[in-house]
Amino acid sequence: MSTVRTWAVALTGVDGHLVEVEADLSNQTPDFRIIGLPDKSLGEAVQRVHNACKNAGLDLPKRKLTVNLSPASLPKHGSSFDLAIAVSALAAGGAISPRAIRQAVHIGELALDGRLRPVPGVLPAVLAAARAGFDTVVVPSANAVEAGLVPGVVVRAASTLAEVAVWHGADVAVPDVESVTIGVVDVPEEEALDLADVAGQTEAVEALVVAAAGGHHMLLSGPPGAGKTMLARRLPGILPALTVDEALDVASIRSLAGQAVDALDRRAPLEAPHHSASVAALVGGGSRAARPGAIARAHRGVLLLDEAAEFSRVALDALRQPLESGSIDVHRSGFTARFPARFQLVMAMNPCPCGQYGVRGGECTCPSLAIRRYAARLSGPLRDRVDIEVHVSRIAAAEAVSDRSTRTTSADAQQRVVSARARAAERWRGTPWRRNADVPGARLRQADVRVAVEARRPLDRALEKGLLTLRGYDRVLRLAWTMADLDEIDRPGLDQVGRALFLKRGYAA
């Protein structure tokens, strides 16, 4: 039997699909063809595999060789299939054992001299292999640490094709060559950001804790220098540590983005794109293989849009779908890639173009029409998806020099957040939800979790007067439940609903 099989992984977004790589020999005019919906870079694997095998001292059979990538209906991109194609072709010619390659997944790009080059997306590929039941994965040496982050998988890292061939029974010398490494950009270590650095702003700090406890989206408005960005950048530091599965999700997205992954970071990520960022930079894109944008890279963390009103209207409206669904779709000709995007949105903006509107002692030079236009840069549907709106004012001199030891620290705030989230997780146990912000409004209005009529009365009046949409009504209910979790009570009362309504709309009940 001349047909042999091994396995590779095709990535569509962060979803990995196992691909059976079949090699078959026939007595026809010598040729080497790859079929099964390969893209152009994958089609060029024929020449890379041919030269790599020759320079590694491994001869391909001089017959017609057909390599099929199955399922053929699945689009396949990139050069990570090179190694699987090479070992299946060599096994078809008898140079290595067909049985040895059948139970392993092979990932890696071949250089013309036979060395293995690292490829992006190794972590989600190995995760897909593990979930499909494979326990052995062969990867380039430069990807070994990243692949080793997946528990329960034996990772065999190789520097050359000859080394892989010897593992599978080939009789060939393994050259002593220098491994291809990943170019790593030195990233300065992030400064530890603590809430205790924030002087004054007691109400804004408490609103930040509420946002963290329930997973709520937030809008901070106020003049320049009031501390909006300072507050927003401290939100990841009070979020609970990621679980192992969540950290693997975040690391997988980083891997797809081409970033080096050498450890599981349990801290919530922070993405803060510049206000000149395009829609593609936020959503993601790529003509051949889809790369995650800032929205996907903020998964399980915080997406900070500083100077939010300076972003293009189209870029801001691109946030609406992922805010509702928790995922982002990148559509390209021939394929659609879906990335997870369950993040907390924090926007910061000035009250007007000059930033002095409504500031005590400030002199606003903006015409009234310009002020209205500036505020309207955030569309109504987008603002309706924001749970908390807080105005941040400049602090007085007495607050600026107050004792730092009396301020809320990130450690204390995180402890409150973890406790509140534990209460919410216990309440929603047996459901798909763990945070209050994720619970559908229809569920919140059911009898077993319905807020009492007396406590709900100001909220009902706001809905009847048109001051709230039904979506806004549900968001206030979610906030009220988060308030109850922070206050360690079983059900929201009038006080919690009133404070939630104030955070959403800016007025008391």
Side-chain angles (χ1 to χ4, degrees):
M1 182 177 179
S2 59
T3 302
V4 298
R5 297 173 177 83
T6 189
W7 298 88
V9 180
L11 292 173
T12 306
V14 293
D15 297 324
H17 308 275
L18 269 293
V19 173
E20 189 176 32
V21 182
E22 302 174 291
D24 182 74
L25 290 176
S26 60
N27 294 320
Q28 300 177 31
T29 304
D31 193 10
F32 187 176
R33 294 200 178 180
I34 299 174
I35 60 175
L37 205 59
D39 71 346
K40 184 176 181 180
S41 62
L42 182 48
E44 293 171 347
V46 169
Q47 197 61 49
R48 289 194 299 272
V49 169
H50 187 278
N51 286 51
C53 289
K54 185 70 175 176
N55 291 323
L58 298 160
D59 292 327
L60 290 173
K62 293 180 173 59
R63 296 161 65 186
K64 182 169 183 179
L65 176 62
T66 303
V67 175
N68 179 44
L69 308 177
S70 178
S73 59
L74 179 70
K76 302 161 191 77
H77 312 277
S79 56
S80 64
F81 293 84
D82 287 5
L83 182 58
I85 293 171
V87 297
S88 63
L90 291 169
I96 61 178
S97 168
R99 180 174 297 179
I101 68 172
R102 195 176 302 159
Q103 302 302 321
V105 177
H106 295 82
I107 302 168
E109 177 185 337
L110 288 174
L112 296 182
D113 60 0
R115 290 183 299 167
L116 288 180
R117 296 184 181 277
V119 292
V122 163
L123 183 57
V126 176
L127 272 172
R131 288 165 181 164
F134 288 88
D135 57 9
T136 303
V137 179
V138 182
V139 300
S141 294
N143 293 127
V145 175
E146 179 179 336
L149 297 175
V150 181
V153 176
V154 177
V155 176
R156 305 194 71 174
S159 299
T160 66
L161 175 61
E163 191 175 351
V164 178
V166 168
W167 291 343
H168 295 320
D171 183 13
V172 65
V174 178
D176 185 13
V177 297
E178 185 177 349
S179 301
V180 181
T181 58
I182 300 176
V184 179
V185 179
D186 289 333
V187 179
E189 187 175 347
E190 293 185 4
E191 180 187 359
L193 302 177
D194 198 296
L195 268 180
D197 299 332
V198 179
Q201 308 297 2
T202 305
E203 291 183 358
V205 168
E206 182 61 23
L208 200 71
V209 173
V210 173
H216 304 287
H217 308 305
M218 191 174 193
L219 171 64
L220 298 169
S221 62
K228 304 185 298 294
T229 305
M230 190 177 187
L231 280 162
R233 286 191 172 274
R234 282 154 178 77
L235 177 57
I238 65 175
L239 292 175
L242 301 178
T243 65
V244 173
D245 288 342
E246 290 171 344
L248 281 171
D249 287 345
V250 172
S252 295
I253 294 172
R254 286 180 54 199
S255 177
L256 285 169
Q259 301 176 22
V261 179
D262 52 13
L264 282 185
D265 193 347
R266 304 290 291 274
R267 297 171 299 178
L270 171 68
E271 284 292 322
H274 191 263
H275 59 258
S276 61
S278 64
V279 176
L282 287 176
V283 173
S287 57
R288 294 181 179 175
R291 288 291 184 92
I295 289 174
R297 295 196 302 272
H299 179 59
R300 302 292 183 188
V302 177
L303 178 65
L304 168 59
L305 301 186
D306 203 2
E307 303 296 341
E310 300 296 337
F311 281 79
S312 74
R313 182 72 174 264
V314 177
L316 289 173
D317 284 342
L319 295 167
R320 287 157 58 178
Q321 181 246 335
L323 285 176
E324 286 294 319
S325 65
S327 63
I328 184 75
D329 294 329
V330 178
H331 297 273
R332 291 295 179 268
S333 177
F335 71 95
T336 299
R338 172 165 292 183
F339 296 101
R342 198 162 292 284
F343 58 89
Q344 279 188 250
L345 175 65
V346 180
M347 296 185 289
M349 63 180 291
N350 295 328
C352 67
C354 77
Q356 301 302 314
Y357 178 69
V359 179
R360 184 190 309 172
E363 184 178 350
C364 178
T365 59
C366 304
S368 57
L369 182 60
I371 295 173
R372 289 197 298 271
R373 282 178 176 170
Y374 192 78
R377 296 292 292 273
L378 302 187
S379 65
L382 178 60
R383 292 187 80 139
D384 203 33
R385 287 167 168 82
V386 174
D387 300 351
I388 299 174
E389 298 187 25
V390 177
H391 181 76
V392 183
S393 304
R394 289 175 180 164
I395 62 173
E399 294 176 310
V401 297
S402 63
D403 186 2
R404 187 177 186 273
S405 63
T406 62
R407 304 171 191 168
T408 301
T409 65
S410 289
D412 292 339
Q414 187 182 51
Q415 188 174 358
R416 292 180 62 200
V417 168
V418 169
S419 176
R421 287 207 177 190
R423 292 179 64 89
E426 177 63 25
R427 178 170 56 254
W428 306 119
R429 185 173 57 178
T431 72
W433 319 297
R434 291 296 177 268
R435 306 181 308 175
N436 292 321
D438 301 328
V439 182
R443 179 70 182 90
L444 293 173
R445 294 191 294 274
Q446 291 179 6
D448 59 329
V449 292
R450 187 182 301 155
V451 177
V453 175
E454 287 298 321
R456 208 175 60 237
R457 185 164 289 135
L459 187 56
D460 293 339
R461 283 201 301 267
L463 181 64
E464 291 168 0
K465 292 179 180 178
L467 300 174
L468 282 176
T469 63
L470 185 58
R471 180 190 285 124
Y473 182 98
D474 292 338
R475 292 193 179 279
V476 175
L477 284 178
R478 296 185 186 108
L479 274 174
W481 275 107
T482 300
M483 299 281 190
D485 290 334
L486 287 169
D487 294 343
E488 299 183 351
I489 60 177
D490 293 333
R491 194 175 292 264
L494 184 60
D495 179 51
Q496 286 73 34
V497 172
R499 284 187 287 148
L501 192 56
F502 181 80
L503 285 180
K504 173 62 181 171
R505 296 296 302 175
Y507 54 77

